[in-house]
Amino acid sequence: MSHKDDPSLAVVHEEAQRGLDTQDKTSERIDTKAAATLAFTGLLITLTRHDERLFVSAGRITAVAAAVIALGAFFPWPRRRMLELKRLRRYLAKEAAETTRYLVLLKTGYEDRIASEISQRRLALRMALILVVVSMTLIALGATLSDTREVVR
């Protein structure tokens, strides 16, 4: 019996593959956003490194925290289709349907695991972005308060 004889197996196999492909794209988008967040926080830190005003310093420290959390958005590294090739060898002599069934089980198991990892990475990225906004607010507030004090003098 081939997977052509078992239409539900073919459907599940296609859906599992689509799910993994979607998760790969989502993971790549998270990586891209985390990298941009790291670059932006690095820029904030660099541009304010000589500024010792209280709010600006607090903003710089918050930017460092955002960078650390954004770096955490890269982890855990997604286990993209880690097929254990040694285990697949035993399916060389098996029927195509049995091999396909095994691959479907592997893919759906990976899909569940990767979904959990993506959820954690999204949360880390959101936290980093919130800290970037707080950092920018503190830096702007520090610069504004200093400018206001200079005008009053």
Side-chain angles (χ1 to χ4, degrees), residues 117-132:
E117 291 173 359
I118 285 174
S119 179
Q120 293 169 0
R121 296 173 69 218
R122 277 185 177 145
L123 179 62
L125 183 59
R126 285 182 182 135
M127 289 173 34
L129 291 173
I130 288 168
L131 285 176
V132 166

Side-chain angles (χ1 to χ4, degrees), residues 15-32:
E15 284 303 312
Q17 186 60 52
R18 246 186 253 130
L20 286 173
D21 291 342
T22 299
Q23 286 177 332
D24 279 347
K25 290 175 187 170
T26 300
S27 185
E28 288 172 12
R29 285 193 302 266
I30 291 171
D31 287 347
T32 301

Side-chain angles (χ1 to χ4, degrees), residues 26-71:
T26 300
S27 185
E28 288 172 12
R29 285 193 302 266
I30 291 171
D31 287 347
T32 301
K33 291 173 184 176
T37 303
L38 278 168
F40 189 74
T41 55
L43 182 63
L44 281 175
I45 294 164
T46 301
L47 291 175
T48 61
R49 71 174 182 246
H50 296 297
D51 196 324
E52 298 304 321
R53 293 175 282 190
L54 180 63
F55 282 110
V56 175
S57 295
R60 186 172 48 251
I61 291 167
T62 306
V64 170
V68 169
I69 292 173
L71 183 60

